[in-house]
Amino acid sequence: MQDRIYNFAAGPSTLPLEVLQEIQQEMLNYDGSGMSVMEMSHRSKMYLNVFEETKNTLRRVMNIPENYEILFLHGGATGQFSMVPLNLGKTGKADYIVTGNFAKKAAQEAAKFIDVNIAYDGKANNFTLIPKQEELNLSVDADYVHICANNTIYGTEWRDYPETGDIPLVADMSSDILSKPVDVSKFGLIYAGAQKNMGIAGLAVVIARQDLLESHRDNIPVLMEYNTMVKNDSMYNTPATFSIYVLGKVVKWIESLGGLKAMEERNRRKAALLYDYLDNSTFYRALADKSARSLMNVTFRTPSEELDALFVKQSSAAGLSNLKGHRVAGGLRASIYNAMSYEGVKALVDFMKEFEKENG
Ligand code: PMP
C-alpha cells in the first residue's frame, strides 16, 4: 500500500489494513444482502448477528466473566465521565486518582453530581508518574474508585492497578484497552471510547459487573442509565451500528493474531524499540518516568520548541503523521496502538536518527 502513511495520531487513529480491506470489500453488498451494514436496520436479523458476534468475540478476547455486561453506548468516553457518577455514586461519594488531563476531567464532571475525593493528584510531578499504593489517600466508604488506565496525553500507564478491597474499581481504558491481557474481575466497571484500539469514533464500550448496574435514582436521563441499556441490550435507541461492526472486525483481527497476549508482546517490542532509542540519545528526552511509561503513547522532546516544530513538519513530509504532542503537554508524541506496525515504529526511529544527525 504505497500511498498509505504511518499515522501516529492519538485517536481517531490508524486501523489494521486487513480490517479496512475487509470493510471495503463488504461495503456495497454485505454478505449477499445487497446493501452495506450502514444501510441496515439495527433490528434486522442480519445486523443482530453482527452485533451478537461482536459482543461474543469481545467477551472471548478479553475473557470477560459471565456476570459482566457489555454495553455499546453513545457519547464517547466523556459520556462515561457523567454516567459513572450518576449510576454508581449510590451514596454520593467517590475517590478519583488524577494522573492526567482526562482523569481530571472525569473528576470535575463527577463533582457536579457527587462528592469527589481526589485521592492523588499528579500535577506536582507534571503527570510523569503513576502513584504507588501508599501514596493514595483512599476513603473507606467511597462508592467507587476511578482511575484512568493509560494517560493518552502524558504517556503514562498503570501497570499494577490500585488495591481497593470491596470498593469497585472503575477504569477509563480508552487508550489501552485490548493492548494487553487484563483481569476484568478486578474491576467494577471498565469503559473506553472506541476510536483508538477498538476501531472508530461514535461508540463507547462499557464492561460492568451486573450487580452494580441497578438504578438507585429515578432522574437519570434515559440514555445515561445503565439499567435501561442493559434491559434493552444497548438498543433503547439506534446504536452506533457501523462502529460496532468495525469493532467486531478489530477483535477478530486481534484473535487471529493470537489474542491479547500476542498483542502485548507486539506492543512491548514496538515500545522498546522507541524507548531504547530515546534512552540512548542525548538529543531527545522521553517525558514519562521509566516506571510509568505507556506502551501506547510515547511522549518525548527535542532540545527546543523550535526543533519540536521542525520535527513535526519534516516527519509529516516524510510520511510519518500526527507526531505533535497534545496542546496541554507540548513536545512530541507517538501513539503506537495495536494497529501500528513494528515497521512503522522502525521508520519513525530511522527518521529520528536522521533528524538528530542534522540538528544535533
Ligand atoms: N479518556 C481518555 C483516556 C482519552 O484518551 C480520551 C480521548 N482521547 C477521552 C477520555 C475522551 O474520549 P471521547 O473523545 O471519546 O469522549
Side-chain angles (χ1 to χ4, degrees), residues 10-11 75-81 102-103 148-153 172-176 191-196 202-204 297 326 333 337:
T78 306
Q80 295 309 304
F81 294 174
F102 289 110
C148 181
N150 183 76
N151 300 290
T152 324
I153 293 177
D172 173 358
M173 289 195 188
S174 293
S175 48
D176 70 348
Y191 65 88
Q195 65 272 22
K196 302 163 199 294
L203 170 68
N297 310 97
H326 189 279
R333 170 178 59 176
Y337 299 119

Side-chain angles (χ1 to χ4, degrees), residues 164-181:
T164 60
D166 289 339
I167 299 177
L169 180 60
V170 173
D172 173 358
M173 289 195 188
S174 293
S175 48
D176 70 348
I177 197 161
L178 298 176
S179 69
K180 59 185 177 186

